[in-house]
Amino acid sequence: MEVNIDLQKERKSATFETEKLTEILYNGKTMVRRRRYLQNIIFQDKYINSFTPWWNRERDESYDTAVKKSVYINKLLRDLNITNGVEQFYIREAAACQESNPLGLHQVMFIPTIEKQGTKEQIAKYVEPAKQYKILGTYAQTELGHGTFIRGLETTATYDPNTEEFIINSPTLSSMKYWPGSMGKTCNYVILMAQLYSQGKRHGIHAFVVQIRSLKDHTPLPGISVGDIGNKLGYGGMDNGYLMFNNYRVPRDSMLMRYAKVEKDGSYVRTSSPKVTYGTMVYVRSTIVGKAATALSYVVTIATRYSAVRRQTEIKPGGEEPQVIDYQTQQEKIFPLLSAAYAFLFTGNMMVQEYTRINADMEKGRFDEMQVLHALAAGLKAFSSDTASNGIDKLRMACGGHGYSHASGIPKIWANITPACTYEGENTVMYLQCARYLVKQYAQAATGQKLVGFMSYLNNPVKQRSALNDALSMSDLIEAYEHTAARLIKVAATRMQSMMKGGMSVEEARNKCAVPMVYAAKAHCQAYVVKMFNTVANRPSLDTSVARVLQTLCKLYAVYGINQRLGEFIQDGFLDGQQADMILNKTLSLFAEIRPNAVALVDAFDYPDEILQSCIGRYDGRVYEALYEYAKTSPLNKQDVHDSYYTTLKPLMKGELKFDTPTARL
Amino acid sequence: MEVNIDLQKERKSATFETEKLTEILYNGKTMVRRRRYLQNIIFQDKYINSFTPWWNRERDESYDTAVKKSVYINKLLRDLNITNGVEQFYIREAAACQESNPLGLHQVMFIPTIEKQGTKEQIAKYVEPAKQYKILGTYAQTELGHGTFIRGLETTATYDPNTEEFIINSPTLSSMKYWPGSMGKTCNYVILMAQLYSQGKRHGIHAFVVQIRSLKDHTPLPGISVGDIGNKLGYGGMDNGYLMFNNYRVPRDSMLMRYAKVEKDGSYVRTSSPKVTYGTMVYVRSTIVGKAATALSYVVTIATRYSAVRRQTEIKPGGEEPQVIDYQTQQEKIFPLLSAAYAFLFTGNMMVQEYTRINADMEKGRFDEMQVLHALAAGLKAFSSDTASNGIDKLRMACGGHGYSHASGIPKIWANITPACTYEGENTVMYLQCARYLVKQYAQAATGQKLVGFMSYLNNPVKQRSALNDALSMSDLIEAYEHTAARLIKVAATRMQSMMKGGMSVEEARNKCAVPMVYAAKAHCQAYVVKMFNTVANRPSLDTSVARVLQTLCKLYAVYGINQRLGEFIQDGFLDGQQADMILNKTLSLFAEIRPNAVALVDAFDYPDEILQSCIGRYDGRVYEALYEYAKTSPLNKQDVHDSYYTTLKPLMKGELKFDTPTARL
């Protein structure tokens, strides 16, 4: 198939070799090749390609397909002996991109939780059968009335020493488990998070392994009420479920007892306080940064290619219609998000590396840096998922009407990533967690304490004026970000202090400062991203032409960010009005600088058409052909003349319309 | 059913009478009563209530239901003799809120276009049959390759004097009509917008009445290729269609010839230049402001009530979990959008009133004010739909996980309004249209010319410093908005002038200033909204307590807007850093001031549960009961044990899994 001529030109105009940048993104030539090799196995797989396309699946079929694909992919991974997590992700990305995985939580939550929090006996009892899929599990935490605030969960597990059992109950309607994935129809076991009661005392939230469906015929067990929670914005393939317990009894060894125990007589013993879950939480949040970046980069690819192919309006009357990517306003929609996609992809990688390094320290008992990382992971989880969710929607609209069709692929990608703003800690709560740490660190720095890691910028002496000029040195830009973050942290901290001095409780003061706290956290996170991006763009190992284009992108990320949050940078005069003008001008000229490399920059993400599943984001740019083909697949086109004609339109036109039920009364 | 106790308290705490505000929103007691009367007819209608709920309809059923409901509602309107447009809207809102209307374009585009642009003979020939639904029409303008830029449409109508026919063709793939509503399956006629060719010359875009399907059996006529364009993000009930022509011949009188004619011999005569379409465009865009406001107000209602019912986390350790609406961060998400909903509802009303007044002037030949309104309507169409689309999504996330479920009703409302950012003129194009007018007006004001209407603020002398203090006088706030808008218009205008002095063509300069032009247009629009809101909030006829709460909302709208676009207000020192601090403080204290009235303010919108269709936005606040009921309706719950168990999960668990097709090769 011939490639659209505009895209051909775009690719020729690039100032760097796409492949070299791809190798940086995927950690080297070997992995790039391996990734393509794995993808091709999937793309040629007959079974994977045998399903109705996702955009035409009804709910039932969505779920059924998701189950079948999940099971098949797992079999494939075993047959091919692919055990590396990154490689497994590449297989899944190629086989079911943006589709749900009803066996995912079984693998990433059910089994690992037992492995980490179970005793040896419990591990032996559950993990091997689970790995062989003899039992299917999920993780039941969220309730109708409680999400992020885990201590508020209401499900109870009350120990009965007479029978050596726990009695599990859903004491209120709001205590119903609601949302856990794979719970509605798929699994027969759950890790249940519940309030533990024993000997009349409450011992807080603990994890239990609980069977909910029969292993014989999959029917819910007596005392259990379970089902799917109904249709959602997306995730049609996932059976997010509800679950209620009515005096449901489970044996004593159902409680995961590695760190806390209930003895036969009901006495409660906490053996040690697990920092494990803390580390896991940091890790999971760190990976969301990469997920958000990936989703954003899919859509940036689609929007950039489409904008190079699409021609619209005349710049000169009667002249040729330009590619829409030549409009400054279109560049303003796409290029900052292109730079953000790179920024977050690199930051996501760095976070995971940092986690690995710091986790090793933590096992030696050093927690300082883990706290920095914990705060940062919370903040960046929120900042990256916000950016991706809002950015993807902006890019969708930048693709005009076609962006609204599932043909563009964009609504699906968006519906899949936007829940990341809510799960694993609701974003505002995450910003506040981050901010509370920042305010504490600020107080320590104020007493002259030396802070560790990235926090050390709070030790810098406060400068009055930035030296930023039109040379746009990255050190001046980073300084501006750090200065502004430090100032906003100070604003929140002093506001809190003065309220507390006025007699307010710390809790109330925190709430009354929550908005400025969120501002501070966002500023802190963006400062980190700018700094990380700059580090990567200046790696000595980089090819010169690749380094140059990454440095331009990084600069755009930095100046555009200032432009967006201008008030915060100029309010104290650190930057002045003239510098603000200069920044706008530089932003616009950076658009022009990136313009010839835009298509190559998204090509470098190396997403095959089979992954993007977008008529308008195709590598060959044949968007109109693809949109026409897409239209033909419409469920409404199964009949040339739709049934509604016979039942309704024909009688209407003939004036013979009757309605079955009596018409409205006056 | 008992009302949730928190909502009861909220309603008691209000400082004003909800009903009085409702009467202002709906133009008086009589209309409020009439609206409820009409709604109740619908809510008790057996036929309307006989369908599968929208959240469980598959595509085919969505379309079929939409057709049936549309036809039924039209019959009802005739039976009840409801001819007033506003009343018709109330009926439709109650009967099919957020659902598509496949007969809508027949009524609002097909018939009116013939009435306005057709000759007497054409009106006689088509309008009466159309009104009796003997023929069903739509408006076919958008093509695969062209949307907002109408002059670029490629479909051709070439006159053949030998047979006195037009030969209609789709000369390229991109010329395929694509997107027009009701075109895929419903209609048998279209108003076709096509490039007219006659005697070898091109005469630009003209409208033709073209039959596309047989009146006998609804099959596409020879030479016509037509169908649905496939599944989209929303609008499942609408058959947006594609349409291609292959040497399709229509008689000469198919062209609507009121303002331009092709004579029998093929000579082209333009009799007059129709300003009609210009007025209609202004009107349609003005109405979008109200539509956007309505959508936003639905969701603000849902989010506010839910936030009053939902309790989450402890402010004090071990204390009661507060209503989430008590969190400052939640107030920051909801209250500014509550104020925006009111602002746009009032602005939308004002725009339509202004249109009526100015249209009367225009018919007397005075066009000045219509131009002001044209620019404003373009800008406000964009500004209001942007605000609604982004705001609704923000509110969805403010409702946590439940916001993501169709149970919340929010994703549907959003999917229904977000296309308003694209249709009737893509928003960026709209901002630029507005900005071009502003830049011209700025040039006129610079030569000392006195400007009319709202534009007159450009005649004000430039002040250096704002007197704004913590009394927050509205006149100071309005002045700040006008000052900033004027400054941003000046920035864009001088940038353009200097580029043109440097030898750039006007077209190129416009493109290179497009981003600052958009900033200017947004600032202009928001200044108008602040001013209009303030006018309404100070109407002498208002009840004192209602006036007080509206004035508070208006103030919040104004200060929050400054806070969001802070850089623009302080860059030139018109406001300084201290005033900026004060504005943030005032914003936060206005949240606290609005807090006790929040629920009453959304109650005043007077949307019955049947319209909101939201489990979490119910008047009685019984959200958890409703979510549980919703879950039970899930298509996956039709079977307690899903088929996927038998086909896939059971064999997996038994280790007996086989796949039909050969597995992937290595």
Side-chain angles (χ1 to χ4, degrees), chain B residues 179-335:
Chain B
W179 279 108
S182 314
M183 195 171 74
K185 296 283 145 183
T186 309
C187 73
N188 43 32
Y189 270 82
V190 299
I191 300 286
L192 181 77
M193 301 306 281
Q195 295 284 0
L196 170 63
Y197 285 86
S198 186
Q199 297 180 335
K201 273 174 70 181
R202 175 172 153 173
H203 299 286
I205 299 298
H206 287 76
F208 300 80
V209 183
V210 176
Q211 187 182 346
I212 60 166
R213 285 176 178 270
S214 153
L215 293 184
K216 235 177 67 193
D217 61 9
H218 213 57
T219 52
L221 295 172
I224 300 277
S225 180
V226 63
D228 181 81
I229 63 163
N231 290 343
K232 299 145 292 185
L233 172 51
Y235 277 84
M238 183 56 95
D239 56 324
N240 298 86
Y242 70 85
L243 174 63
M244 266 182 304
F245 298 92
N246 182 13
N247 286 321
Y248 185 73
R249 287 176 170 265
V250 294
R252 189 175 68 92
D253 73 352
S254 300
M255 178 174 150
L256 290 178
M257 298 218 193
R258 182 159 175 185
Y259 299 104
K261 255 189 214 173
V262 171
E263 304 286 7
K264 286 187 181 175
D265 67 347
S267 50
Y268 176 81
V269 188
R270 177 167 283 285
T271 49
S272 72
S273 164
K275 291 267 174 188
V276 219
T277 51
Y278 185 80
T280 307
M281 201 164 67
V282 172
Y283 178 75
V284 171
R285 288 177 186 161
S286 299
T287 61
I288 290 178
V289 180
K291 274 191 202 177
T294 303
L296 183 58
S297 62
Y298 290 149
V299 180
V300 165
T301 305
I302 295 168
T304 303
R305 287 185 186 156
Y306 178 57
S307 300
V309 171
R310 177 78 169 183
R311 294 179 165 269
Q312 191 75 33
T313 319
E314 302 150 343
I315 289 190
K316 288 184 193 178
E320 195 190 21
E321 294 182 64
Q323 297 163 279
V324 296
I325 201 171
D326 281 326
Y327 288 103
Q328 191 180 66
T329 46
Q330 190 75 352
Q331 295 171 359
E332 197 264 346
K333 290 174 196 177
I334 297 178
F335 295 169

Side-chain angles (χ1 to χ4, degrees), chain B residues 333-501:
Chain B
K333 290 174 196 177
I334 297 178
F335 295 169
L337 289 166
L338 173 62
S339 73
Y342 272 97
F344 285 118
L345 281 172
F346 293 136
T347 305
N349 283 343
M350 298 284 267
M351 290 288 288
V352 173
Q353 279 168 32
E354 281 288 279
Y355 171 80
T356 312
R357 181 179 68 78
I358 295 171
N359 197 42
D361 279 5
M362 193 174 73
E363 284 174 8
K364 292 175 208 138
R366 291 206 303 271
F367 286 95
D368 283 16
E369 281 209 274
M370 187 52 100
Q371 280 169 22
V372 183
L373 193 65
H374 175 257
L376 195 66
L380 279 175
K381 179 267 176 190
F383 187 53
S384 61
S385 57
D386 271 359
T387 306
S389 180
N390 296 328
I392 289 170
D393 195 45
K394 188 172 181 177
L395 292 166
R396 174 182 65 77
M397 290 201 267
C399 295
H402 297 322
Y404 186 76
S405 171
H406 279 309
S408 73
I410 301 175
K412 185 91 192 294
I413 299 170
W414 177 77
N416 223 30
I417 196 65
T418 187
C421 299
T422 311
Y423 62 57
E424 298 296 337
E426 192 278 329
N427 277 357
T428 302
V429 177
M430 292 299 94
Y431 284 128
L432 290 172
Q433 257 184 35
C434 177
R436 275 208 284 281
Y437 180 75
L438 297 177
V439 165
K440 272 187 217 152
Q441 292 279 293
Y442 172 80
Q444 290 185 6
T447 67
Q449 228 176 297
K450 233 179 118 43
L451 306 179
V452 298
F454 178 60
M455 289 315 309
S456 61
Y457 74 86
L458 289 183
N459 292 129
N460 294 349
V462 176
K463 244 173 103 170
Q464 299 305 313
R465 289 277 298 121
S466 165
L468 187 71
N469 59 31
D470 64 2
L472 283 189
S473 99
M474 276 308 301
S475 64
D476 285 340
L477 287 167
I478 291 169
E479 185 191 59
Y481 272 92
E482 292 185 339
H483 169 89
T484 302
R487 182 177 73 75
L488 292 172
I489 295 168
K490 184 182 170 187
V491 166
T494 28
R495 195 180 162 91
M496 260 199 73
Q497 281 159 8
S498 85
M499 283 179 172
M500 284 161 66
K501 267 186 201 153

Side-chain angles (χ1 to χ4, degrees), chain A residues 55 60 64 80 146 185 228 231 315 321 333 404 415 428 495 507 585 630 634 639 642 644 666, chain B residues 55 60 64 80 146 185 228 231 315 321 333 404 415 418 428 495 507 585 630 634 639 642 644 666:
Chain A
W55 57 84
D60 250 310
D64 188 58
L80 302 178
H146 283 95
K185 296 284 146 182
D228 180 80
N231 290 343
I315 288 191
E321 293 182 65
K333 290 174 195 175
Y404 186 77
T428 302
R495 194 180 164 91
E507 295 81 14
N585 287 331
Y630 176 86
S634 173
Q639 303 168 294
H642 196 269
S644 307
L666 272 175
Chain B
W55 58 83
D60 249 310
D64 189 57
L80 302 178
H146 284 94
K185 296 283 145 183
D228 181 81
N231 290 343
I315 289 190
E321 294 182 64
K333 290 174 196 177
Y404 186 76
T418 187
T428 302
R495 195 180 162 91
E507 294 82 14
N585 287 331
Y630 176 86
S634 173
Q639 303 168 294
H642 197 267
S644 307
L666 272 177

